[in-house]
Each structure stands twice: as structure tokens, then as C-alpha cells.
Amino acid sequence: MARALLAGTISGDDHALKRMLSRADIPTVLIDRICGGINADAVVLDNQRAVQDAINYLISLGHRRIGYISGSLDTSTGIGRLAGYKAALESAGIPISDDLIRFGNFRERDAYNAAIQLLVQADRPSALFSANNLMVIGVMKAIRDTGLRCPDDISVSSFDDFPWADVFQPNLTTVAQPVQAIGEQAARLILERIAHRGDQPPQRIVLSGRLMIRDSCRPVADPLGS
């Protein structure tokens, strides 16, 4: 019976993923993340472009001080999403400030603490972007605990759509990944790799995210003053 591995939802940093995959002598398809040094098929999202589109949306609403809650930079997703944030600001001529970047490490509690640090600043951001859906829970709790309201006092957007994004109050603006397409492409690649193991070079399929605009982002009252 043929064995295969779909890797990508495994938690931990890319170094841990690399160690595991280097011992797996079976056909492998990486999903969501690229692991340096692993020569395998992959289905990933264009993380940089997806975040860049989301930040561009906030900029179009007049936001200039946009806080960013980053995932771990030990992962390709964390690196790509932060790059998208910076690219959007650079394209708009907005200076990149380290004071507006905090690390939530893809964890709710870390994101809560990171958001608190941003929200208590004297010149706090007018918008926050969370680099995944687990961290946005911590962000929303931090907004509540600092006595602020979304989107009246601060706009919020997040990477990853999830079933309750439109149940949150307010409904959250998110970046949706094409989950079905990712699964279909990964299944196709793994079947091809089982059938023709070693006969073709690894393939990398890059898919696009989609910005789901809901109610958690609002134009700033005075863009020039933000």
C-alpha cells in the first residue's frame, strides 16, 4: 500500500518541520508553508500579496498608523505576511515604524499582550492587522480590555477567514484562503507523486487569497491627521 504525507498544518517552526520531513522517506506535499531545504511538492498561498492587499484596503480608508501583529518569523508564512505589510506601506510612501510591529507568534495570549502594547501608546494606531485568525481573538480581547471599541475607535483586519468571522461583533474583515482549491491541488500532487515517484521535479502551486470586507474597518475621521 502506497504511503504519502501532506504536511503543512503541523504546528511548530519550519526547523521542526524540516527535521520531521527529512526522516520521512515517502512522497510529500507541503501545504501552506515552504520549508527550506525540503525538496517537495507544495501548495501555498501568496502570503505577501494577500497581506499587501489587506493593508492597501486600510490605507484606502485613510489609515496611516497601522499596527501589525506578526506571527513567528521562524515560518515562511510569518516572513511572507510581514513582508506584505511592509510592501504596502512602502508603496504608499508611509514610513515603516518598528513601534507599530509586535509579535504574537500565532498564539492568542501572545497576540493579546502585543495588542495591549500597541493600544496603550500615546499615539496609538488607528487600525490593527493580525497575521492569523487565532491571534485576532487576542486582539479583540485587548481592544475590549482597554475600553476601546471596534471599529468606532480602531479598525481591525485579520489573515485567515474562519466560520465565526461573520458572527463576531462587528463582523471581521479578513483574508480568506481558497481552502477547497488548496486541498484539491494537494491531493492531485500527492497522487501524481505516488504514481510517478522521482520521475519529475517538485512542483510549487501558488494560489491567491481574497479580501472579505465586512464591518470591522472604518474610514478615519481625518486621514491627514492620522
Side-chain angles (χ1 to χ4, degrees), residues 47-58 84 88 175 209 211:
N47 285 280
Q48 179 169 335
R49 181 73 256 177
V51 172
Q52 192 168 348
D53 288 344
I55 301 301
N56 283 340
Y57 172 65
L58 292 171
V175 173
L211 184 62

Side-chain angles (χ1 to χ4, degrees), residues 87-111:
L89 296 183
E90 288 176 347
S91 295
I94 300 173
I96 296 171
S97 171
D98 289 340
D99 290 340
L100 293 176
I101 300 172
R102 292 292 185 275
F103 289 88
N105 303 312
F106 294 130
R107 300 188 182 96
E108 178 185 341
R109 185 64 190 179
D110 289 354

